Amino acid sequence: VESSIPEHMREAWRKYSPSGFTTKDQFETEIVRHIETTLARSLFNCDELAAYSGTALAFRDRLIMDWNKTQQRQTFADQKRIYYLSLEFLMGRALDNAMLNVGLKNVAKEGLADLGFRIEDVINQEHDAALGNGGLGRLAACFLDSMASLNYPAWGYGLRYRYGIFKQEIENGYQVEIPDYWLDFNPWEFARHDVTVDVQFYGWVNKYTDDEGKQIVSWQDGEIVTAVAYDVPVPGYGTPTVNNLRLWSSKASSGEFDFSKFNSGEYESAVADQQRAETISAVLYPNDNLERGKELRLKQQYFWCAASLFDIVRRFKKTNRKWSEFPDQVAIQLNDTHPTLAVVELQRILVDKEGLEWQTAWDIVTKTFSYTNHTVLPEALEKWSVPLIQNLLPRHLQIIYEINLSFLQTVERRFPKDRELLGRVSLIEESQPKTVRMAYLAIVGSHKVNGVAELHSDLIKTTIFKDFVRIYGPDKFINVTNGITPRRWLHQANPRLSELIASKLGSYEFLKDLTLLNKLEPFVDDKEFKKEWAEIKYANKVRLAQHILKTTGVSVNPKALFDVQVKRIHEYKRQQLNVFGVIHRYLAIKSLSSEERKKLAPRVTIFGGKAAPGYWMAKTIIHLINKVGEVINNDPDVGDLLKVIFLEDYNVSKAEIIIPASDISEHISTAGTEASGTSNMKFVLNGGLIIGTLDGANIEITREIGEQNVFLFGNLSEDVEDLRHNHFYGDYQVDPELQKVFDLIKSGKFGDEGSFGALIGAITEHGDYYLVSDDFNSYTKTQDLIDETFKNQDEWVTKCITSVARMGFFTSDRCINEYADTIWNIEPLDVAEEKQVRART
Ligand code: RUG
């Protein structure tokens, strides 16, 4: 490398290279230095935010050193890397995670106490990095943690949105969206102003033959926007590996506004270009499981794919290898279809820029990419309008057509008599306007396609991608069941439970090998252990009750059963089923005498989650929950027997408080609609039980922990189609108990009969697509069973402990190892030597 220091001068570097703090005194020195010099504050004006900043900077220094070494080690090792392309990374807070992964949280706790701060207050100052909508983005974050913890040479690539997912406020029961500007002070990112890529849009394609008779294709003119890299360190747990997450930010390629316009007084148009460029990475699209086909979104996708591909190719070219070796050095995972243009972009680079033959290039492309599908919902499957692509990316559209032609020719040769098949699998849908089916493009451009839970992987093979299984054979389509990182979702979120488990297992090794949890099972009869277990759950519930009181003003009894449903609000996730169940319970309470009421099990039903701003039905569900809460929480007949809470602005850091406090959580999607779900795993790992349908990962969770430990209900996915048909053509009637709930809503008891009427109408008049009525009886009966079971606390705790002991499978470490072995073909890097060096120092 040209800019590196000559060998004979490196000694000084090595001598003075900082080694980072390890003791409390060193930590205090670092934090005070940062507060006084970096932040220019002093002990006279050091508030909690300054203490957070100082602590974060001290830990950041440590991470940077490991990060630099990791990058050097990976470069020297020169082995295959995995690049994880995701438009969303829902990272949450970084400080607590960094402290735990580095293993110095206690040092920080004591050091901060000496300096006058409680570590919890300091941690709470951090703004969540919320660059994602829900499960898909959080999965990407768990994967980064696992890839680093397992020492895989891995990079994440994403967009550095200036605004993450909006903040949700509830006003008069309605969701209100507030922009989430999160970059005021972000010590976890490093602007690499020297790492930039110019990305082209619009323009036209010039095809000509050069003097040597070679076909040249050149994409000309249009608009250039510059991508600037921002790097975020991703520390592994208990390892020196710190991987890199590279996020791209957009800026005008000229760098500045137009000075000549400025001088002539045209201030607005002088900055217009700059603003247009910056708009690309300005805001995360707030839709979960919904695609809307907007040009800016397509621009975001291409901007990010082009910058990432340029960067990956640049790194590969430094190794001076032949192009044929590209797939031996590079694996690229497409997280959903959002990065599918990367397939087209790599083909463009190889053919137009590097001069490879079409087929040679295409072989490299398909060996490099693999694609994860996360949904079968039609409204979430991306389709881009052909005229839109034609205008924005004219060369890419040509390449897509060429890929399609060659693919359809292959299909035709294999299935010569099946004309309809060609129409069905074509990458182009002959609609008005024509569209590009991005999932099909991703399949054709990849060597492996995976679903995210067994049922889901089976469903994609038998429904949306059935024809492709025929064409490519079944081996291309595999399942990798999702997982979660136990570092954040047990150790960080529930430190007391983690400590109790460690005390029984003898170490924290289970955080690296979650299957060790099975050693807990023999302790299910240990009275003292069970008592401590129950005490920890109770303490977590007290903490949540305090949060509820502070944020909603409602006082809840921590001894009641806490029933939680927190996730994005979506009709398929069926929060409406839950709230109808709540009203049913309310009616039941009201019908009892005060003596009979004493026998009931008190319950707190807790909801949380955001609705996409344009999703009216989802917003109406939020409104109904809040209105139902207002009535029930203020009804003296009900008292502690039932409380209904909607927690505002559900996000990763709130999940860390809510999940450990749950007794029962709800994963009640219509069978066949939730690809996996991952919060189901988090809740069980934290000693909560679940009520769920036979959908997504609920099925595998049940298999692992045992049917006796799960409250299952509802129709099966194989029956959904017939049931839906029956709603229109059979003698369909709404469940009579549900009808009573509807009658109460319609009476105006909860206000706003008009819009709530639409929620009811979806079920009574518009075919009940999500099978709310079909599953209602089974749902409420199962809730009654939960009440009964909860009364026997000893039996309940036994179920919880047994379940936790059997959750080893659901770590994202297992999941990442499966991707590495079956899809990426990559090996972890050996860090034993580095660990020894560290142990000696
Ligand atoms: O809805 C799915 C979840 O079931 C799944 O657990 C998660 C991670 O695999 O991805 C979610 N998802 C799907 N988010 N967006 C989509 C649309 O493709």
Side-chain angles (χ1 to χ4, degrees):
V1 187
E2 327 74 60
S3 54
S4 92
I5 302 297
E7 186 59 52
H8 67 280
M9 299 168 105
R10 289 185 189 171
E11 196 41 45
W13 280 81
R14 291 193 182 114
K15 189 165 149 201
Y16 297 116
S17 168
S19 54
F21 69 86
T22 45
T23 67
K24 181 172 71 103
D25 290 349
Q26 289 165 343
F27 170 68
E28 288 178 36
T29 312
E30 287 300 297
I31 184 172
V32 171
R33 179 174 70 76
H34 273 301
I35 291 172
E36 297 203 348
T37 61
T38 320
L39 306 173
R41 306 280 283 261
S42 73
L43 74 165
F44 299 108
N45 65 355
C46 181
D47 55 11
E48 280 168 354
L49 183 60
Y52 159 72
S53 308
T55 312
L57 290 166
F59 272 91
R60 184 180 87 161
D61 285 351
R62 260 201 74 103
L63 289 192
I64 295 172
M65 286 174 272
D66 280 344
W67 189 28
N68 287 337
K69 283 189 198 148
T70 303
Q71 297 314 316
Q72 285 162 21
R73 202 163 46 239
Q74 294 183 357
T75 305
F76 287 130
D78 196 24
Q79 60 186 57
K80 187 170 183 178
R81 286 189 169 100
I82 165 67
Y83 296 102
Y84 196 80
L85 267 56
S86 181
L87 206 42
E88 301 189 8
F89 287 96
L90 196 43
M91 304 293 280
R93 289 176 175 159
L95 176 60
D96 201 1
N97 182 248
M99 294 194 294
L100 290 167
N101 280 17
V102 167
L104 291 170
K105 186 167 178 182
N106 276 336
V107 168
K109 185 176 177 179
E110 288 169 18
L112 281 166
D114 283 352
L115 297 170
F117 293 96
R118 264 168 33 107
I119 194 167
E120 294 80 13
D121 301 334
V122 169
I123 288 169
N124 280 335
Q125 294 301 311
E126 186 172 352
H127 204 114
D128 273 34
L131 307 184
N133 275 289
L136 176 139
R138 183 54 229 177
L139 184 77
C142 283
F143 281 6
L144 290 182
D145 181 84
S146 282
M147 290 189 284
S149 300
L150 295 166
N151 305 307
Y152 284 109
W155 283 57
Y157 275 107
L159 276 184
R160 178 185 179 266
Y161 304 106
R162 211 162 351 119
Y163 295 92
I165 185 71
F166 62 86
K167 284 200 167 308
Q168 178 195 53
E169 286 182 5
I170 300 296
E171 277 179 23
N172 299 326
Y174 290 102
Q175 167 175 300
V176 176
E177 299 92 13
I178 313 285
D180 171 46
Y181 182 75
W182 68 291
L183 291 168
D184 266 346
F185 174 73
N186 179 10
W188 306 106
E189 65 171 15
F190 290 82
R192 304 285 195 197
H193 293 292
D194 54 330
V195 182
T196 60
V197 182
D198 280 348
V199 179
Q200 187 177 359
F201 294 103
Y202 307 105
W204 58 287
V205 181
N206 187 10
K207 282 192 186 176
Y208 60 95
T209 313
D210 71 2
D211 299 344
E212 286 149 29
K214 211 169 166 229
Q215 258 263 311
I216 304 291
V217 183
S218 141
W219 176 15
Q220 298 182 332
D221 301 336
E223 179 180 310
I224 304 289
V225 178
T226 300
V228 184
Y230 283 74
D231 287 347
V232 181
V234 180
Y237 174 77
T239 168
T241 300
V242 178
N243 278 340
N244 195 23
L245 167 60
R246 178 157 285 179
L247 302 176
W248 299 105
S249 179
S250 58
K251 68 167 196 181
S253 62
S254 59
E256 298 297 337
F257 56 81
D258 186 331
F259 215 81
S260 58
K261 282 187 183 164
F262 186 79
N263 278 342
S264 58
E266 296 171 53
Y267 303 122
E268 278 173 26
S269 80
V271 292
D273 284 354
Q274 191 188 13
Q275 279 173 354
R276 235 156 70 88
E278 287 176 6
T279 302
I280 295 179
S281 62
V283 46
L284 166 82
Y285 272 85
N287 301 326
D288 182 88
N289 267 296
L290 182 73
E291 288 297 337
R292 276 281 151 86
K294 295 268 187 266
E295 184 181 64
L296 181 61
R297 168 86 164 179
L298 186 62
K299 267 190 151 175
Q300 288 188 333
Q301 294 187 349
Y302 179 64
F303 171 79
W304 151 63
C305 289
S308 307
L309 253 292
F310 185 91
D311 208 39
I312 293 167
V313 167
R314 170 166 59 192
R315 197 166 301 119
F316 171 77
K317 283 172 101 172
K318 282 194 189 154
T319 68
N320 290 320
R321 284 187 162 80
K322 294 187 291 209
W323 280 112
S324 58
E325 291 176 52
F326 190 80
D328 304 330
Q329 292 294 109
V330 174
I332 304 179
Q333 187 67 34
L334 305 173
N335 193 27
D336 212 312
T337 53
H338 315 147
T340 305
L341 283 171
V343 168
V344 189
E345 177 69 358
L346 182 58
Q347 181 72 0
R348 187 183 76 86
I349 293 172
L350 296 178
V351 174
D352 294 0
K353 302 269 168 208
E354 303 294 336
L356 270 65
E357 292 295 328
W358 178 272
Q359 195 52 47
T360 313
W362 187 243
D363 286 346
I364 294 171
V365 168
T366 52
K367 280 184 193 155
T368 302
F369 285 99
S370 42
Y371 154 55
T372 306
N373 172 281
H374 296 266
T375 188
V376 293
L377 299 185
E379 65 270 31
L381 293 175
E382 280 189 294
K383 287 176 186 172
W384 284 109
S385 131
V386 165
L388 195 65
I389 303 182
Q390 164 73 56
N391 184 41
L392 189 70
L393 304 165
R395 178 59 184 143
H396 294 77
L397 187 66
Q398 292 177 347
I399 295 174
I400 292 170
Y401 269 104
E402 221 159 312
I403 295 171
N404 195 33
L405 180 66
S406 127
F407 167 63
L408 291 180
Q409 282 169 348
T410 322
V411 177
E412 197 173 24
R413 275 195 298 276
R414 291 234 3 243
F415 305 93
K417 297 202 183 69
D418 201 342
R419 300 294 313 169
E420 279 180 5
L421 177 65
L422 294 181
R424 285 205 306 272
V425 300
S426 172
L427 306 187
I428 310 295
E429 185 167 278
E430 298 295 324
S431 44
Q432 245 342 308
K434 290 183 182 167
T435 54
V436 178
R437 298 155 158 167
M438 300 308 273
Y440 292 4
L441 180 54
I443 296 174
V444 173
S446 297
H447 61 284
K448 283 272 190 272
V449 176
N450 76 285
V452 290
E454 268 177 29
L455 173 71
H456 169 66
S457 299
D458 286 345
L459 279 176
I460 62 178
K461 285 207 266 184
T462 50
T463 62
I464 54 174
F465 302 151
K466 189 172 159 202
D467 289 321
F468 290 87
V469 176
R470 237 179 108 204
I471 293 166
Y472 289 109
D475 294 350
K476 178 160 172 166
F477 298 84
I478 62 171
N479 171 56
V480 185
T481 299
N482 282 168
I484 55 168
T485 168
R487 273 77 65 177
R488 181 174 295 257
W489 295 115
L490 177 54
H491 194 45
Q492 181 179 323
N494 204 342
R496 279 188 65 190
L497 191 64
S498 183
E499 193 183 344
L500 176 65
I501 294 171
S503 76
K504 291 294 166 200
L505 302 189
S507 79
Y508 281 100
E509 198 50 33
F510 65 95
L511 294 172
K512 291 224 106 180
D513 174 3
L514 203 64
T515 60
L516 291 173
L517 284 179
N518 64 13
K519 300 214 157 55
L520 273 185
E521 241 180 280
F523 295 101
V524 283
D525 299 321
D526 178 335
K527 285 222 164 59
E528 192 51 36
F529 175 62
K530 284 176 97 168
K531 194 166 146 252
E532 280 181 55
W533 186 282
E535 271 169 19
I536 291 169
K537 179 60 79 181
Y538 184 72
N540 290 335
K541 288 170 71 175
V542 169
R543 185 167 77 138
L544 179 57
Q546 284 161 354
H547 176 81
I548 291 172
L549 182 61
K550 202 167 103 197
T551 54
T552 68
V554 180
S555 165
V556 301
N557 178 1
K559 293 209 173 81
L561 187 156
F562 278 20
D563 170 343
V564 182
Q565 188 177 19
V566 282
K567 50 185 85 222
R568 286 299 289 247
I569 311 293
H570 211 300
E571 285 163 284
Y572 87 83
K573 293 179 189 280
R574 298 204 294 191
Q575 283 90 355
Q576 70 277 39
L577 173 60
N578 187 343
V579 71
F580 295 151
V582 166
I583 298 171
H584 170 80
R585 179 176 288 261
Y586 176 60
L587 284 172
I589 294 171
K590 293 290 274 186
S591 71
L592 296 177
S593 69
S594 56
E595 270 316 296
E596 286 168 319
R597 283 181 194 151
K598 285 190 187 133
K599 292 187 208 131
L600 293 180
R603 196 183 268 244
V604 182
T605 300
I606 299 161
F607 293 88
K610 294 174 187 177
Y615 189 175
W616 185 83
M617 262 315 197
K619 288 181 142 177
T620 304
I621 295 173
I622 293 180
H623 188 210
L624 178 62
I625 294 168
N626 280 293
K627 288 292 161 187
V628 168
E630 265 174 34
V631 171
I632 295 180
N633 298 344
N634 294 306
D635 187 331
D637 283 351
V638 177
D640 263 2
L641 287 180
L642 183 58
K643 288 275 180 276
V644 184
I645 305 296
F646 189 93
L647 285 175
E648 227 171 41
D649 198 40
Y650 178 61
N651 61 12
V652 173
S653 52
K654 297 214 173 75
E656 289 167 22
I657 299 171
I658 297 166
I659 292 172
S662 146
D663 294 307
I664 274 286
S665 62
E666 310 226 4
H667 309 275
I668 58 176
S669 48
T670 312
T673 61
E674 187 71 274
S676 163
T678 43
S679 75
N680 41 9
M681 304 167 190
K682 295 167 196 167
F683 279 102
V684 180
L685 189 61
N686 279 279
L689 302 182
I690 59 175
I691 173 168
T693 43
L694 281 147
D695 200 19
N698 291 352
I699 297 174
E700 286 145 274
I701 293 176
T702 305
R703 187 192 306 152
E704 291 291 312
I705 71 179
E707 210 161 334
Q708 69 284 8
N709 297 317
V710 182
F711 297 95
L712 293 173
F713 75 97
N715 284 284
L716 305 182
S717 79
E718 63 240 46
D719 299 325
V720 168
E721 210 176 309
D722 285 349
L723 286 163
R724 280 183 184 153
H725 182 85
N726 187 49
H727 293 170
F728 285 106
Y729 304 105
D731 57 344
Y732 170 70
Q733 286 215 316
V734 170
D735 178 280
E737 289 300 307
L738 183 59
Q739 188 57 54
K740 290 184 194 157
V741 169
F742 290 167
D743 292 343
L744 189 64
I745 296 173
K746 284 200 230 159
S747 77
K749 176 85 183 167
F750 309 108
D752 202 4
E753 300 97 283
S755 55
F756 298 152
L759 274 179
I760 297 170
I763 295 159
T764 54
E765 286 158 45
H766 301 292
D768 192 9
Y769 189 76
Y770 297 103
L771 271 53
V772 173
S773 176
D774 302 87
D775 283 347
F776 191 72
N777 183 264
S778 161
Y779 176 68
T780 54
K781 291 278 163 334
T782 308
Q783 288 287 14
D784 294 343
L785 177 64
I786 290 170
D787 286 331
E788 275 317 296
T789 315
F790 193 69
K791 283 181 187 158
N792 183 342
Q793 270 299 298
D794 191 58
E795 191 191 317
W796 186 273
V797 176
T798 300
K799 285 179 187 293
C800 297
I801 295 172
T802 315
S803 302
V804 171
R806 298 175 182 176
M807 280 299 284
F809 179 77
F810 298 99
T811 166
S812 45
D813 293 350
R814 182 269 312 150
C815 186
I816 284 301
N817 280 329
E818 275 183 36
Y819 276 96
D821 290 347
T822 60
I823 304 179
W824 303 333
N825 194 21
I826 62 164
E827 297 287 335
L829 212 74
D830 186 1
V831 293
E833 201 179 312
E834 183 65 30
K835 274 191 172 168
Q836 273 176 7
V837 173
R838 177 179 280 198
R840 279 200 297 276
T841 51

